[in-house]
Amino acid sequence: MEHALGLVMISAAGIALAVWLIAKVGLHPFVGLLTAAMAIGLTAGVAPPDVATAIEKGFSDILKGTGLVVALGLGLGAMLQISGGAQALAMKVLSLTGQRYATLGALLAALLVGLPLFFETGVVLLMPIIVAGVAVMEDRQGLRLRVILSALAGLSVLHALLPPHPGPLIALRDLQAPLLRTMMLGAVAAVPTALIAGPLLARYTTRGVVAQEAVLSLPDTTRSVSVGAAAAVLLFPIVLIALGAALPLMGGMDPHAAAWMHLLAEPPVALLLANLFGLIMLFGRDVMQQDLQDEIWSSTVLPAGGMILSIGAGGSLKQVLVSAGLPDVVTQFASVSALSPIIIAWLVAVAIRVGTGSATVATITASGIMSGMVAAGGGVGAVVDPSLLVLAIGAGSVFFSHVNDPGFWLVKSYMGTSTSDTFRTWSMLETAISVVGLAMVLLLDLMSGG
């Protein structure tokens, strides 16, 4: 027991070190997380050569598939931005809903545009469009701010609950959860969660909030593309992944054809094909222009570098915690605790999210810790659907965004609110997504007889 308590305290202190290095010293998360991983490993008594091995293993393991998903997702987002496809989709949805249902329109636009995008990329891509769309609206009772918060709710819910977003995809692989089932359950949980945390909650959190009108420009593009073409490109990888995941439900399929379908449905392959499809659908003959190609891939590579390094460092931190024995401690706690494994998974993700400020790091670390419980014979894996654990971790990973989360400052700049009002609106939105998401997962567990 003393060893377990000591390991928990060392892990907490290491995560606190990462927070201090990133938030106070100003180090890049890549360096801060690697430093914390090394400090935890050495302090917890892991042999020095094993610490180095764990750091390298965690970094490489997490990026084997996720690095490709991040880079290709950013490529797809860059194409939609440069072609004007994202703007066309968002404006079409807002025009259909009108001012009366503008919050629902913004939520729907975010759910559509945000499907292949990292949260921060979705914010940068969609927010100028949403702000421009609401600028002409009469701002009765803070309507403009409610519309912006509704769009943010859609982006954040996707990031937390729906594969093939990198966070849920990482948890899915660590916990060996089936992709199609996780996508279906995630969609069931995501819709009511987004409605409650977005349009409904914003009615109350925006009261009395004064937001400066943000001076923002639309994505820099003179191109235009049809809504149908943009929607086809956006949905292309989702359809491929869903079809591949549904293969086990289809009987009598030719084995050779099934093997090809499985290949096409792998998220990196589906996204690669979506990139190629997007080049043709969104740009046509212009795709041969070297300037256009340079614009697309420079817009992809620059943000991808920092994201991939941070995710890899998060994988290193997770692997060091695993090597130090933290999953065994959590498993022992679960065996004597009356708490549901779903709640334990959520609490672990919440603690890491609040400490590090990163939803992706929280997901990576929590799924690594919980994987030990799933692997335990007769343990959690026999009681709880791994897909529900993936969703619980995703819900916990977005709990209470605050000053150590880069997304907090990004959102603040787009909303035009003070720091205190950003806490009141954005931080409350993220907390609501986390809590309502957990409630939805528990409800799904109850309905499945868990």
Side-chain angles (χ1 to χ4, degrees), residues 343-354:
I343 295 177
I344 294 173
W346 182 81
L347 287 173
V348 171
V350 164
I352 299 167
R353 157 66 164 182
V354 173

Side-chain angles (χ1 to χ4, degrees), residues 104-191:
L104 295 177
L107 176 60
L108 179 58
L111 292 174
L112 287 173
V113 173
L115 276 173
L117 304 177
F118 234 83
F119 172 77
E120 288 83 359
T121 307
V123 171
V124 173
L125 177 63
L126 184 63
M127 280 303 102
I129 300 167
I130 295 296
V131 170
V134 301
V136 297
M137 296 179 181
E138 184 181 347
D139 194 22
R140 293 179 296 182
Q141 298 178 345
L143 174 63
R144 294 175 188 170
L145 191 54
R146 296 205 308 272
V147 172
I148 291 171
L149 286 167
S150 297
L152 290 169
L155 293 173
S156 185
V157 164
L158 286 174
H159 185 63
L161 298 177
L162 208 64
H165 272 254
L169 194 63
I170 290 165
L172 184 145
R173 287 175 174 171
D174 278 352
L175 300 175
Q176 299 181 349
L179 177 59
L180 180 60
R181 179 172 176 79
T182 307
M183 290 177 67
M184 293 174 62
L185 292 175
V188 170
V191 173

